[in-house]
Structure formats: C-alpha cells, structure tokens
Amino acid sequence: DKGCVRCHAVNGEGGKVGPDLGRKKPAQSSLPQLVTAMWNHAPRMWERMRADGVSYPTLSYDDVAQLLAYLYMSRHVDDPGDPARGHELFTSKGCIRCHAVDGVGGRIGPDLAAASDLTGPMEWTQALWNHASGMRQAAEREGIAWPQFQGHELRDLYAFVRQNTSRGSVPHGDPARGWQVFQQKSCTGCHSIRTADQMEGPNLGPERPLPETFTELGGTMVSHSPLMEQAMARQGIARPQLSAQEMTDVFAFLYSLRYADPAGSPHVGASVFRWRGC
C-alpha cells in the first residue's frame, strides 16, 4: 500500500531497485536492527524516490509496527527446497521403507504424493508431528532408527514429495493465538519462556536461539518427538494434536519473543547521543 514493493522485494517477490528485504539479505534479527538499517539508508532512499518521482510515504505508528513485524517474520519463511536432495534424504532417512512417492517405495504408510492434505510446509510438519507416535511404533517394528533432521532437510524432503502436487502457501501466524495454543496444548508442562524457570524441557524464551526458519524448527520438533513423548508420559500429559494453523501460530509466538532486544544501557546511549551528533 505504501509503495515499498516498487523498489524492494521480500524473498524474491517485488521490485529490484533496492535490496531484497527477506532472507536473501543478511539477517536483521531484531526490531532495533531493522530500525537501524532503515535509518542508515534513509538519505539514499529519499534521493532515489525523488529521482523516480515517487512520493514520500506517510506512516502511522500502526503502519510502522505492522511493516516491521512483517519484515521480521518474513526472515523465518523457508526458501523453496531442493527436490533432488529431498529424494536422497527420502532414502537415507529410511522414509522409503514405509512410504512411497508416486508408487515407488514401501506400502506400510500412505503414498505421500497422493496425500491431498500436504498442501504446504506447515501442513507437512503438522502431519509428521501428529502421526509421530504411530510412525515411531512402526519404525521400531521394522528396525528403522528414528530420523534426525538437520538444517534444511525437512524442507528438501517436502520439496521432493510435493513435486506432483499443488503448492500451497504458508499460513500466517498469530503470536497472540500462538500463546493461547501454547498454554491450551500443555506445552507449558515441559517448557517455559522465562529463564528463571526450571522445567523438564528446554527453555524456549528469548535467550535461547531458535532455528532460522519455521520448517527447521519443525524438523527439530519432529526429531525430538520420541523424547518429548516420554517426558509427556512421565507427567501424565496427553500428546497434543495440532492443526497446521495452530502450529504456525505457536511458532510465530516463539519467534515473536525474539523480536525486541533486551533493554539497552542508558550510559552507552548517552555517549552515542553525543558521538553521533544527535
């Protein structure tokens, strides 16, 4: 609406005059870093807008908040995966022993290319999580080790599986809803978001680094599923079933905790105020 897309792209979609503001650009991982980048480049942006006859946009407080939140969250969306690498992983991780893709592979589980519900990366992650308990039991019967996913492996697996299926869009996450789901699904029984709390599972607050993208976080979650299930059993917590939207909301909530930096130092700020000529 404000015309930013005329000059800038986000993850490849938009103009080419200015830099891509998505994951292709070195990460600005917090709100102050995003604001700093905009401030430092403002004079050059003004000059280019004047040269191109682009009117300077007026932004309300809410406009700025929404825009910066969008740019921050866009850095955690995956790029398209590598189907060839996914094909290799489908075999090396043992998926092919239970599942087929387009008729090639095992018959214990469904043919993943024919699964109509795998319409996007979060639907793929949700299906793995919701079926993990049954999959683990089947893997144990077949003598298959539970797969551990690293980096972009889950994304590449999905790219291989979805080659002949329609490609869906990643649902938009709502951090406020995510916090509600985090509590309703008993995640708080094992995980805290406050450093001072000692829980059985790792602290998921802002001090703990998260994987770079939503799908990488999903891969970590699926990899640790057997250990998480054991911890839930010890505490009498039923394994939660999540919709793709609920999972996306929870992930958005967790990443939102890292949106703002901890409080800065007023003493350092005073020296910077003088040094920068403010």
Side-chain angles (χ1 to χ4, degrees):
D1 291 344
K2 297 296 183 179
C4 311
V5 73
R6 294 178 58 179
C7 294
H8 294 282
V10 174
N11 294 328
E13 297 185 11
K16 307 300 181 187
V17 176
D20 190 310
L21 301 177
R23 292 188 56 240
K24 299 178 185 300
K25 186 79 173 173
Q28 306 291 342
S29 59
S30 69
L31 174 59
Q33 288 177 313
L34 284 166
V35 174
T36 297
M38 290 183 68
W39 173 270
N40 289 343
H41 291 86
R44 292 169 58 191
M45 291 165 64
W46 295 335
E47 291 174 4
R48 184 58 190 255
M49 283 189 287
R50 280 196 297 266
D52 291 351
V54 178
S55 59
Y56 188 77
T58 300
L59 298 171
S60 68
Y61 179 90
D62 189 60
D63 289 337
V64 173
Q66 298 285 0
L67 181 60
L68 293 177
Y70 163 66
L71 293 176
Y72 172 76
M73 281 298 180
S74 71
R75 297 183 177 277
H76 300 297
V77 176
D78 283 278
D79 292 328
D82 181 346
R85 174 62 177 150
H87 192 183
E88 296 174 3
L89 292 167
F90 190 73
T91 300
S92 65
K93 296 290 185 181
C95 312
I96 196 171
R97 294 177 60 181
C98 293
H99 293 281
V101 172
D102 286 332
V104 179
R107 297 291 186 269
I108 297 174
D111 188 313
L112 298 177
S116 60
D117 56 341
L118 299 182
T119 56
M122 293 309 295
E123 284 79 7
W124 165 252
T125 307
Q126 167 235 349
L128 286 173
W129 169 259
N130 286 345
H131 294 91
S133 184
M135 291 166 61
R136 178 182 57 79
Q137 295 173 22
E140 289 177 351
R141 288 195 299 269
E142 298 296 317
I144 302 171
W146 185 254
Q148 298 294 298
F149 296 107
Q150 307 292 330
H152 300 303
E153 289 180 341
L154 198 61
R155 177 199 70 182
D156 292 338
L157 265 175
Y158 176 65
F160 165 63
V161 169
R162 75 180 179 196
Q163 287 184 90
N164 297 319
T165 63
S166 59
R167 180 177 180 180
S169 60
V170 177
H172 296 288
D174 183 321
R177 282 200 312 257
W179 171 228
Q180 294 175 357
V181 174
F182 193 80
Q183 298 171 87
Q184 292 167 355
K185 298 294 184 176
S186 300
C187 306
T188 51
C190 293
H191 299 283
S192 175
I193 57 172
R194 298 190 306 175
T195 305
D197 295 337
Q198 298 297 318
M199 309 290 285
E200 182 162 359
N203 183 290
L204 298 178
E207 294 81 9
R208 181 183 178 86
L210 288 182
E212 188 177 35
T213 69
F214 277 38
T215 306
E216 287 182 59
L217 179 56
T220 300
M221 190 173 169
V222 172
S223 296
H224 289 84
S225 175
L227 293 176
M228 294 168 69
E229 192 165 10
Q230 292 172 15
M232 286 185 277
R234 286 194 294 272
Q235 299 197 41
I237 299 173
R239 183 186 178 93
Q241 297 289 288
L242 297 168
S243 70
Q245 187 62 63
E246 288 174 333
M247 182 169 283
T248 306
D249 290 341
V250 169
F251 286 10
F253 163 66
L254 293 175
Y255 282 109
S256 75
L257 298 177
R258 291 146 181 82
Y259 183 43
D261 277 342
S265 166
H267 304 293
V268 174
S271 65
V272 173
F273 189 81
R274 293 190 299 271
W275 172 42
R276 290 297 189 184
C278 304

